[in-house]
Structure formats: structure tokens, C-alpha cells
Amino acid sequence: MSATAEQYFPLVVPATSLLLGLALLAGWRSVRGHRYLLWLAAGYMVTAVPLAAQILMDTPQLATWSVLTGALYCAGSWATAQGFALRSGSRVSARAALAVSLGTLLALLCFSRLNDVLGARIVFLNLGMGLLLALALPVLFGRDRADTLFERLLRRTYLLLVVYALLRPLLAGTLAGWFSSSGMPRSGLWLWMLAFNLLLNLWLLFLLLGGVAQQLMGELRHERNHDPLTLLLNRRAFFQIAHQRLQHGTAAHWALLACDVDHFKQVNDTWGHAVGDNVLRQVGALLQEMTRPDDLVARFGGEEFVVLLRCDDLPTATRIAERIRSGLSQMRCSPAKHTLTASFGVTLVAGAEDLESALERADQAVYRAKHEGRNRVVASPSPGAAGNICPTPSTAAVAQPDDAARKATR
């Protein structure tokens, strides 16, 4: 291999770093909400510039341009630390980063202009980069979190990056003789450092993109499973999760509650769909507020809601439904402070195989509640159960703006 080839071959490392930065930049352009990708892209790309310049420089040129290349290295390390901190929901201290950067550049100025000492410049530059990267460690490891495998690996890899950056000054000081007078880029230690940097950067990018992909899949899964208006479970997700829950429960521990807002068409016709949407959001929020976190609350479509709750018996489920009905009747859901009411159907669920039938029973109970005057709870026993529970009427009346609205059936 010729001398020229030996000099230019290490450019593979900064070129790869530049490409990795472009990949992160492309990822940020696709998901603008993940601003940390922009900072990490800057970290990769800015660091690639002084690295490529140093590879092409001889020893006198390294001294001449040491402050400028050092400033770029510090900026790249600062951007990397900021990106990882933002990814964890915080920021690194700008004052601390500025203080470390200024101290590093002052040391580079002293050991390039006043006293040209290559080893000292290497020590102070790598120490400064390591300290800048370490600014993100309190954010990454300062709180308990339920992480995926990707997240744990990413944090540990970042810690390895910081440790490696802080160990480089020690290696440079101990093995300073490895750097030849013909130029640092042709020393054995420098080439080994470049190779390790390349592998570490590739591994970091793999973990970063893997984490982004996992996060995007989670967001897509959430959008697929939830109603965009109320943020409750949708019908498909309700059936999927309910079947899983019911397979591990017993007949005496589950009840199904169906809810249908009374005269909802009147709300839309009188005050518009924006008010109607707000009503649905309020109903969904109240249902979640008045049930337990492990109960399933879903919007089945329109003004229809369903709740699967743990419950010992039908009378208990009926009392829960009555409490929700009473809470809804106290809501004021329109510019005219329209009183909101709803009709409820309640039944027990014998298991996963009974879910469809239970929904039919609860739906029939809702229509019975509407037929008997609305704003009430009707309980429907499971097949084979004796007796029935009487409807629970309410004295609250539904406000009717005109005679035509009284003819609405929903």
C-alpha cells in the first residue's frame, strides 16, 4: 500500500460518521417530533469534519488548526450529549458545557501557540470531550424507569462511550511514543482508536434506530387501538384485550356495562358537531375517572360506550352504573348548559366465550332503558339466572329546546 493510500484510508471513519449523521437527519425529517435525532445527527456530522481534517494534516498543521478542530470536537460532543438528554426528556447544562469547552480550547491554545506539545493537546481534547459527553449521564441514569432491552443497551453503550472518551487521555499520555513525528494519523494507536470509534458509532446508531422503530411501532399500535376523539379503546382493541382478561377470570368476577348518551342527535343538531365531540370527550373522561385503572373503557362508535369491569355480582355492577349515570346527569355539556343523561345496560360475563352474548344482553338492556324513559340503569341477568333487577329511574329531566327535538330517539 502506498503512502498516499495509507493516509487516505482512515477517511473511511469520518465518511461513515457523516453518513450516520445523514441517516439520523433523514429519520428526524420523517418524525419531526423526535428533536433529539437532529442533535444526534449534528453530533455525528460536526465531529466528522475535524476528524477528516486531522487525518489529512501533518504535525505542524495539527498545531496550527488545533483550536478550530477542538472547537468542532467540543460542539459535536455537546450536541451528542444534548441529544441523549433530550431523548430522556431533559437537557444538559449549557453553562457546564460552555465552561468545559472554554477550558478545553484554552488548553489547546496554550499547547499549540505557547508550547507545541502534541501529547498534551490530545490529553486535554479527549478529556474535554469525555466531560461533555458525561453531562448527559445524570439524566440517563438519574431516575428509575421501565425500559426495553433497546433502552438498557443504549444507556450502557453511551456509558461505554463516555468511559472510552475519558480513558483516551490516559492512553495518549502513557503511550505517547506511539505517535510518530511524521504525523498522528499514521500511528498504530490512532488507527486502533479510529477502528473502535467506527464500531462504537455503528452500534450506537443501530440501537438508536432500533429504539426509534420500537417507539414508532408503539405509537402506531396506540393509534390503531384507540379512538382518536376520546382516546378510549376502540371496538377492535376492546374485544382483543377483553378476551385476554376473561380467559383468566371467573364468571363471578366480571360485568359488562353498556352506555348510550340520550338525545345525542339533538346536541349535534342544536349546537353543532364541535359541541357534540366535546360531549363525547367529557363522557369518555368521566367513564375513566369513575372506573378503576384495570377496567376496560371503550367507545364502540357514535355515542355508545362499553365498560368491562371486575365485579362480584350483578347488584354491585348496577350500583357502579348508577353512580356513573348520576355523575353524567350533573354534567353541563353545551353553551346553554344542557343537562346530559345516558341510558345504561348491565350484565355479568361468564367468560371469553360469553362476551358476544353479554354485549347483546347489555345492548338490549340499554334499549329497554330508553323505552322506559331514558336516564336509567337496567340490569340483564345471565341466561339461567333467576329474577331481574328493576330499572333505576332518575328524576332528572332532559332539556328539550323545541318540540322537534323531543321526537329524537337517541
Side-chain angles (χ1 to χ4, degrees):
M1 182 179 291
S2 66
T4 302
E6 290 177 356
Q7 182 182 11
Y8 285 99
F9 181 74
L11 287 173
V12 170
V13 177
T16 303
S17 182
L18 182 62
L19 291 175
L20 297 180
L22 290 174
L24 290 171
L25 185 61
W28 170 76
R29 287 177 62 86
S30 300
V31 283
R32 292 297 179 94
H34 301 269
R35 290 187 61 245
Y36 69 90
L37 292 175
L38 183 60
W39 285 91
L40 293 174
Y44 274 98
M45 297 170 71
V46 172
T47 305
V49 175
L51 182 57
Q54 285 183 335
I55 290 174
L56 298 175
M57 291 177 184
D58 54 24
T59 302
Q61 290 174 323
L62 289 174
T64 302
W65 297 97
S66 62
V67 176
L68 179 57
T69 56
L72 291 173
Y73 274 125
C74 289
S77 301
W78 189 349
T80 300
Q82 186 74 279
F84 275 91
L86 285 174
R87 193 177 188 278
S88 299
S90 185
R91 286 178 170 270
V92 298
S93 170
R95 291 184 178 181
L98 186 60
V100 172
S101 299
L102 290 177
T104 302
L105 295 179
L106 181 61
L108 293 176
L109 181 63
C110 292
F111 289 103
S112 61
R113 298 293 190 271
L114 302 179
N115 190 10
D116 187 0
V117 182
L118 175 61
R121 292 201 305 271
I122 295 172
V123 169
F124 280 104
L125 176 60
N126 285 278
L127 181 62
M129 293 173 64
L131 291 175
L132 286 170
L133 291 172
L135 292 176
L137 291 179
V139 178
L140 296 176
F141 294 91
R143 66 184 73 170
D144 295 330
R145 62 187 80 209
D147 286 337
T148 63
L149 177 61
F150 268 112
E151 295 297 325
R152 292 192 296 272
L153 286 174
L154 188 59
R155 289 208 312 273
R156 284 161 175 76
T157 302
Y158 187 83
L159 178 60
L160 175 62
L161 178 66
V162 174
V163 171
Y164 170 64
L166 293 174
L167 283 178
R168 282 199 304 255
L170 179 62
L171 289 173
T174 305
L175 304 172
W178 282 36
F179 296 106
S180 63
S181 59
S182 61
M184 180 176 62
R186 284 182 285 280
S187 69
L189 178 60
W190 173 255
L191 294 176
W192 277 109
M193 285 182 173
L194 287 180
F196 187 78
N197 271 336
L198 177 61
L199 292 175
L200 196 57
N201 285 333
L202 287 172
W203 177 243
L204 264 178
L205 182 69
F206 168 75
L207 294 177
L208 282 169
L209 295 182
V212 170
Q214 219 175 36
Q215 195 171 3
L216 288 177
M217 290 298 295
E219 292 173 0
L220 290 174
R221 186 162 47 248
H222 184 274
E223 292 178 3
R224 181 192 64 180
N225 291 342
H226 290 78
D227 170 55
L229 179 64
T230 63
L231 302 182
L232 300 177
L233 292 174
N234 57 30
R235 187 184 187 98
R236 189 204 63 80
F238 175 84
F239 276 106
Q240 180 182 0
I241 301 175
H243 275 288
Q244 295 173 355
R245 297 275 182 93
L246 291 170
Q247 287 173 353
H248 299 89
T250 61
H253 289 162
W254 296 98
L256 193 69
L257 183 157
C259 165
D260 193 287
V261 179
D262 295 330
H263 300 293
F264 182 72
K265 184 177 183 298
Q266 166 193 314
V267 175
N268 279 334
D269 292 345
T270 305
W271 292 287
H273 289 279
V275 173
D277 289 346
N278 187 51
V279 167
L280 295 176
R281 280 191 289 265
Q282 290 185 61
V283 172
L286 185 68
L287 287 173
Q288 284 191 311
E289 179 183 340
M290 302 192 73
T291 54
R292 293 164 296 189
D294 59 341
D295 295 331
L296 295 184
V297 183
R299 180 189 176 200
F300 265 37
E303 65 273 27
E304 300 175 15
F305 298 84
V306 173
V307 181
L308 180 69
L309 46 84
R310 286 188 177 274
C311 190
D312 291 333
D313 50 42
L314 195 56
T316 301
T318 305
R319 286 194 295 271
I320 294 173
E322 173 59 27
R323 187 172 67 247
I324 297 174
R325 185 207 62 77
S326 178
L328 285 173
S329 67
Q330 298 175 23
M331 291 175 57
R332 299 296 182 267
C333 62
S334 71
K337 304 300 182 182
H338 179 77
T339 301
L340 183 70
T341 65
S343 301
F344 291 80
V346 181
T347 188
L348 293 181
V349 187
E353 68 284 351
D354 185 45
L355 182 59
E356 294 281 356
S357 298
L359 282 169
E360 292 181 6
R361 294 195 301 272
D363 196 49
Q364 291 172 0
V366 168
Y367 279 98
R368 178 180 166 189
K370 288 185 175 294
H371 180 72
E372 295 178 358
R374 297 183 176 84
N375 191 24
R376 63 191 63 219
V377 177
V378 171
S380 175
S382 302
N388 202 340
I389 295 179
C390 295
T392 307
S394 170
T395 57
V398 180
Q400 303 288 346
D402 52 41
D403 293 337
R406 292 189 177 93
K407 298 179 181 179
T409 60
R410 306 277 308 170

